[in-house]
Amino acid sequence: MYEHIVTFKFNGSITSEKEQALLKQIKAFKGEIPGIVELTAGMNVTEEIENMHGYTLALRITFENKQALDHYLPHPTHQEFVASLNGIIDNVIVIDYEI
């Protein structure tokens, strides 16, 4: 299995409504993208504000195998989500590893 972890840092133009819409999009991945074993996503609620560095949304997806992770990246549902980040994202951190 493979773990895929992503954190998002948005610019000042994002609204809380848009953040919630993005979160809803992410949570729909499990029903639409094959090979997802488990998915969690949410807004950063840490009290360690000095360690947030502006990252407010995160997701964690467990994939069946490397092939499922590889097919996720170009999947139309994922690409639609990526396109929705246009103009509102400052930075993204992605970590993939085998478990």
Side-chain angles (χ1 to χ4, degrees):
M1 287 195 287
Y2 277 79
E3 204 80 314
H4 176 68
I5 299 172
V6 184
T7 60
F8 301 91
K9 181 179 184 179
F10 299 106
N11 62 33
S13 67
I14 192 166
T15 64
S16 60
E17 292 81 15
K18 179 64 174 176
E19 280 183 320
Q20 290 304 313
L22 292 170
L23 185 56
K24 185 176 179 180
Q25 269 187 286
I26 291 168
K27 289 183 176 183
F29 287 178
K30 188 168 183 187
E32 298 178 18
I33 301 174
I36 294 177
V37 175
E38 186 177 12
L39 182 149
T40 62
M43 303 309 297
N44 190 351
V45 295
T46 186
E47 293 179 5
E48 297 180 47
I49 304 225
E50 67 280 0
N51 294 320
M52 285 179 66
H53 303 287
Y55 291 87
T56 58
L57 176 64
L59 71 93
R60 182 189 57 81
I61 303 174
T62 304
F63 288 96
E64 295 175 343
N65 50 39
K66 180 74 163 76
Q67 182 180 13
L69 172 61
D70 292 343
H71 285 110
Y72 159 79
L73 297 174
H75 191 280
T77 300
H78 178 251
Q79 288 303 306
E80 181 181 326
F81 172 76
V82 170
S84 69
L85 299 173
N86 191 29
I88 60 170
I89 198 84
D90 272 351
N91 200 15
V92 177
I93 296 174
V94 179
I95 300 172
D96 296 326
Y97 58 90
E98 188 173 10
I99 56 173

